[in-house]
Structures are given as structure tokens and as C-alpha cells.
Amino acid sequence: MPEAMENDALYRDASQPTAVRARDLLTRMTLAEKVAQLGSVWVYQVLKEGRFDPQKADGLFKEGIGQITRVAGASSLNPAEAANAANAIQRYLVEQTRLGIPALVHEECCSGYMARDATCFPQIIGVASTWAPDLVEAMADVVRQQMRAAGAHQGLSPVLDVTRDPRWGRVEETFGEDPYLVSQMGVHFVRGLQGANWQEGVIATAKHFVGYGLTEGGMNWTPAHIPPRELREVFLRPFEAAVKEANLQSLMNAYHELDGVPCAASKELLTDILRDEWGFDGVVVSDYFAVEQLERAHGISDNKQDSARLALSAGIDMELPSTDCYGAPLFTAVREGKIDEAAVNQSVSRVLEMKFKLGLFENPYVDAARAAAVFDTPAQRQLARTIAQKSIVLLKNEGDLLPLPQNLNAIAVIGPQANNARHLLGDYAYPCHIESLQEMTKAGQNSFNIPVPDSVELVDNFVAIRPILAAIKEKVTAGTAVHYAPGCELTGDDRSGFAEAVAAAAQSDVALVFVGEKSGLTNDCTCGESRDRADINLPGVQEELVQAVAATGKPVIVVLLNGRPLSINWIAENIPAIVEAWLPGEEGAEAVADVLFGDANPGGKLPITFPRAVGQIPIYYGHKPSGGRSHWKGEYVDLSNKPLWPFGFGLSYTRFELSNLQVDKRAMKADEAVQISLTVANKGARDGDEVVQLYVWDKVACVTRPLKELQGFQRVSVPAGDCRTVTFTLHADQLRFYDGAMRQIVEPGTIQLMVGTSSADIHLRAEIEIVGETQEVSANPKFFSEAGVAG
């Protein structure tokens, strides 16, 4: 039993404030015990044949441990087994270490809890395409329930990177290119994951701090070249919103550098801005291996002690995924006077307060027998289906080819994505990371010098999921012949299957061609973490397959299942109907079929611009007045300067009309707000959703301002033939920017208001004046417009 069980141990008294308990416990700890709280251990380091092994733990947990890495996500354990393993780990720590300090268990949860039997939602780029923050919060709430039931306490999400380079493999994990949209969706993700109280909440971890989505060449970990004003106004904004609007309790550094300083060693980012300016009071964790990378990838250190010193002094409290620099090197550096023990105490205090806040000292265990009951329930699957349906973006629908009747005589289902359920998943779905662990295990070594598991079984049926072909067969009538032909592989140059695909199309009324990418981390994946691409066309010979099928003269519908914007110029010009389905998760097949056959009306909007070619990158809607074109001619010599599809774009099976723009005042001061209303009418024959988007332009300012900035949106459902009134309350301090002296101000001047259905489709305009003196903005400004629907 722990030695410190005496009655006067304040840290054992749950009635005491968390700060008091942490301070008391800290005074009782040896340096070795303190250092242990800043480290972590992979779950498989203490497992043997899927069960907790006390003998393995003896060598790793002697002084305690701060974090356990991915009990469910890095093993083959089902929910009950994961809960039992977590309980066994906690029991060892509580009963076999001197002070009995429980561990935090962290897991990945980008598109759902990354675990066996956990609901697999659409990848985040698709979730962003819903433009429905309430759905993001509902998704994160499911993640919270499942993680807590299995004994986990911290989720390494949301990704708040504003990304403007589709070459980057991790685009799919983000909410897209716009700081307002990313902020809004991210705040709701944090709220859903952290919950209403910490006894049932899961710590959200915003990442990657900061600028990770606009690096050299679109390559993972490479330097980012972002000037200070843009860094604050665009890339820092979602993190600031998460801290101030959602009480974010954890943050993870980015791998790359900014102007010679790796983010993992940036006191300016991790302390000066995050804590001193914003008031963040949570825990900063390292991205995996980032502390050691200060030496190996960045060269600002030549030993682990210095790497630990740089990271700790910058503000990184805990090292993930396993203890390295924050182990013996940190301990020795403190003993030798190279690191002040006060810095260690500060980080340990933060970790302990978090453990007290979560109630781990009073309730370190979970009811393993009840864990499975909250995993992938019918209601959760329905939520996954709803999100998938609403994430689908209709890019083109010439001649109203879609939706299809269910009683066609014959339909061709073609393409490498049509009959492969694995390709419906994003890179942080459970199978993808198990595949990565298996790849490392097979190699026997890896570039990170970490221990690899003896074996991790890939559980193919980690959750019930069907390929799209099966969902289509179920959707059509019994008399409809379905002719399936893959046509080609996702990658490679094998065209031997083209003839079969052409024959299938020739004998059908319509051809559905499913093309795209495979997401994951292994070498055969074309998108996902560290799967960056130098071109963003369809991989392999998939476009040639589409061309061959189109040559039959039969109507062709292309459905994209991919993790990034793709340059599909020929398809965009020549194929009558195009659907963007992203990576739609476990209910993706059903959702795609629902949309194709009209049981759901697509209303998704693009959260990121689609370039015509890789040479346009970076291309995004919110450029400055001198941007977006080549002066003075406008276009490139060999290509248009316009995107293939703009940010915010998406069609419907019905038609909407925006009218009757009303603004309740024409002038406002820096501390006031303006109410903007309009009518949205459904002029078609089908019920549908429209996303009303509010953009602003500060026409003359002391520094250049973007021609359009999203400052409000509302997804609204309107029955056929009916209308709704959408109202926005726009706050003057939403129009703040950093002036020449880097003061955050609201400046008097003319603001153009633009309301539309995409960044390029503006239907209504008005102007207002900001009047009075230039005002510096308070520490707690408004981040979002309030939006409402009536009628």
C-alpha cells in the first residue's frame, strides 16, 4: 500500500481545492517521483498477451507515471478488456507505488474514439463540410462517453490547424482553410468532449500549436513561413477561441519551426501567448517524440538533457508517447543544476491538479462490465449516418441527373472505392493505426527508436461497416441489375480491368464511378499523416478509368472518396454529376446511397478551396486586395487563376433564393453590434438545407485586410415552397485586426457586409460604418456572431 495514507494528507481530502491538494502532494514527492509524472508509457509496454503484466510494470512504474498511451488505440482490446487493463494499471499505481498517484490515459479521437467497437464518424474534413457545429458537439459527446467508460481521460483532439495546402497529407484531419469556421467547429468539439462536469469529462487537446497546416512544399514537419500578423489573425485564432470560449484544458505543440524556433521550444508560443496573454491554465503535452526531435530533427540541441531543458522551459509539461528526454536526462539535469527544480514543480503541479480535477484519486476505476453498453449504439450509428449525409457536397448536377430513381433497369457500379469498406475511413480510424503498428513490428525497428509491440492483431470487424456496393444493392429495387467492376486499383498503372468496367457501363442505364484515395499512415496510403503528395490529381489511372467509362456515352456520376481537395479538371468539365463524399466513416456507404437515390438531399459545403492545379497552391478565398491574381494580366499564362470550386460551395437537389436583407443600423461603435436578417426561400420541389454565409470586408484600413472574411454562418432547413428568416448578430470587435504596431484594434471605417451561399456566390450586400475613435480590443473579445432561424 502507498506509504502516504496518513489522515493528515491533505491531498487525500476530496473536500480541499485542487490547488491545495496538488501543493500538498508535491511537498511529499521525491525528484524521481516528480519527473515520473511528466512522462508516459505505451500500453503495450506493460501488456503480455493482452493482459496487464505486473513484472513489466515493476521496471516502468516504480516511481509512478504521468500518462498511459492508448490503452485501446494501440492494442487489440475490446471495450471491456480495455477497461479491465486500465483498471489493472491504475490498481498497480494506487496500491504498489509509494504515493498512489493514478495515471492519465490518453487516446486519439479525431473522427471518433480510435478503438475497437467505437463509433467511427466521418473524417473531420467531412464533418467540417456539414457546417453544423451542433453535430460536431454531439459527435464529441459520444467520444466522451465511450472514452470514459473504457477508462480514458484525455483525447488528443481537436485538430485546429488552419490548412491551405492540399498537398499536406493531414488536410483531412482539419476543419479546413478558414479561421472562423475552424474556430466555431473546434469550440464545439471541445465543449462536447470536455462535457458539463469533470467527473464525466474528457480533457480535449487542441493541436497542432501552431501553423502546421501551411509548411514548405506541403510536407509534414517542414518549416512554416508565416509573418506575425497573419500568425495571430489566422492560425492562432482557433486556439485562442478554444481557450477563451470553451475552457480548453490541454494543448499539443506542432512539430515544425517558425522563423528558426521549433514550436516545441517556443516560450513565446507556449508561455507568453498561451498562458500569459490568453490565461490558459491547463496542461501542455508534447506531440509524439517532439522533445527528442529538438536534437534529431531541428539541431538546436545535441543531447537529451538540453532537449528536456528547452522543452520544459518553453512550457511543455508532459512528454508523449513514452518517456525519453523527460526521464533520466531530465532527472540528471536537475541534479546537476542545469534545470531549475522549480520548473519541474510547476509542470508537476499542473499535472496533479488535472488528475484531482478529473476525480481520479477518488474514482480511479471504471465498471468494465458496463463499458460495452455505450459503444456503437443504434443512436450513435444514426448520428454517424446523419453527419455523413450532411457532410456530402454536391459539386455538379448537370441536367438534374441526380437523384437517381431506385427502379432503374440496370446500374453500373465501378471503381476501386466501390467495394472496399476500409477506404471509407480517415487516417485516425482504429484500423489505420493498427496497420501502422504492424508495419513497424514487421520492420523490427522504426525511425522514432521506440519499442514496438510483440504483435497487434488487426481486427477487421472493429465496427460494423459495409462497402458502398452493398448499400446500393440494398437501395435499388429487386428488378434492378447491378453490374460491378472495379476497373483498376487505387494506385498503379494496371488498366487490364478497364474492359470489364466499360462493358458494365455499356449494359446499364447509368454508371456510378467511385474513385479517390486511401487514407492512413502506411506506405500504401495516399493521404493521411506523413502521406503528402507532390501532385493532387487522382492517384494511379483512376481518371483514365472515368474517361473510358464516359466514352460509352452512358450518363456517368463520379463519387469522390478522398481526404484532400483534388484537381480533377477533366472530370469537372466532362462528367455531368460529381459528388464529394470525403471519408464518410462507418455509415458512409449508407449515407452515400441515401444521397444518390434521393433519400437525403445534399447540403454540405466545401470547407476548403479546390485548386485547378498544384501550381495554384496556396489558393484560398480570404486573400488580400492584391492577391488572387497576377498583376496586371490576371490569369496565369497557362491556367486560370480561379479555383476549380470555391470555399463554401455546394449544390442541392432544390433551389434556394436569398432576399430581403435587413440591417438594423448603419453605424455602430467599437463596443456595439449590428443585427442582420434575410429571407431564405426554397423555390424547388424538395425539402433541403442551405448554408447561409456572412462575409465582411474592411474596405480601407491602416493595414491590408482580406477581401472577404467569414464572420457568421447558419445551416438552415427549409421545406419545399417555404421560407425561413435567418438573423446574424455581428459584433464590432469581431472586425478586430492587428495594426502596424501589433496592437489589436477596431478601427473606424466602412465595412461591406456580404451574404451568400459560398465565398464566390454573394447574393446580398450592404454597408455599415464603424464610428468613433480607434479602440484597442479587450482580452475577451467576441469570436462569433450569434445566428438564429425563424419562420
Side-chain angles (χ1 to χ4, degrees), residues 4 23 35 37 82 106 236 264 283 335 369 378 435 465 469 487 549 559 568 612 631 638 661 673-674 723 732 757:
R23 187 161 55 247
V35 169
Q37 288 300 306
H106 77 259
L236 283 169
V283 173
R335 279 281 186 250
E435 291 165 359
I465 180 170
L469 177 62
V549 172
V559 179
I568 52 169
R612 293 179 184 275
H631 296 270
D638 53 352
L661 181 66
V674 60
C723 64
T757 54

Side-chain angles (χ1 to χ4, degrees), residues 113-338:
Y113 180 18
M114 196 178 77
R116 274 186 64 179
D117 301 343
T119 309
C120 185
F121 293 95
Q123 180 61 301
I124 287 296
I125 195 70
V127 177
S129 299
T130 68
W131 292 59
D134 58 323
L135 292 179
V136 178
E137 189 164 335
M139 179 188 83
D141 183 67
V142 170
V143 173
R144 178 190 60 79
Q145 295 175 51
Q146 293 177 349
M147 287 182 65
R148 268 297 207 168
H153 318 101
Q154 181 168 2
L156 303 188
S157 280
V159 174
L160 298 185
D161 297 308
V162 175
T163 182
R164 293 174 170 177
D165 194 329
R167 294 172 296 181
W168 187 44
R170 303 190 77 170
V171 165
E172 64 179 73
E173 300 173 38
T174 77
F175 291 111
E177 75 176 46
D178 179 75
Y180 186 95
L181 180 61
V182 174
S183 297
Q184 184 78 280
M185 304 298 260
V187 161
H188 281 266
F189 191 110
V190 172
R191 288 174 179 164
L193 191 59
Q194 295 191 164
N197 68 79
W198 283 115
Q199 305 307 306
E200 299 174 347
V202 168
I203 303 162
T205 309
K207 60 187 187 183
H208 307 84
F209 201 64
V210 62
Y212 193 36
L214 191 63
T215 55
E216 285 180 358
M219 292 185 288
N220 211 34
W221 297 19
T222 55
H225 303 282
I226 304 172
R229 183 173 291 102
E230 186 179 1
L231 183 70
R232 284 182 173 269
E233 292 180 352
V234 175
F235 297 93
L236 283 169
R237 183 64 61 86
F239 293 94
E240 183 183 5
V243 170
K244 294 181 177 179
E245 294 282 321
N247 190 31
L248 175 74
Q249 286 296 288
S250 186
L251 181 138
M252 175 182 281
N253 72 278
Y255 286 117
H256 67 283
E257 67 166 74
L258 289 167
D259 196 24
V261 181
C263 295
S266 176
K267 180 176 178 294
E268 179 185 12
L269 290 174
L270 299 174
T271 298
D272 298 348
I273 293 175
L274 178 64
R275 294 191 184 276
D276 297 345
E277 289 188 28
W278 296 351
F280 174 77
D281 61 356
V283 173
V284 175
V285 298
S286 79
D287 205 341
Y288 283 16
F289 326 107
V291 179
E292 191 271 342
Q293 293 294 316
L294 296 178
E295 175 185 355
R296 193 149 58 94
H298 294 292
I300 64 168
S301 164
D302 62 2
N303 63 80
K304 294 181 186 295
Q305 285 190 14
D306 276 350
S307 295
R309 175 182 58 80
L310 288 166
L312 190 69
S313 61
I316 290 181
D317 298 310
M318 306 187 82
E319 182 180 29
L320 305 182
S322 54
T323 304
D324 185 7
C325 301
Y326 275 23
L330 175 58
F331 178 88
T332 303
V334 174
R335 279 281 186 250
E336 294 177 353
K338 297 175 181 177

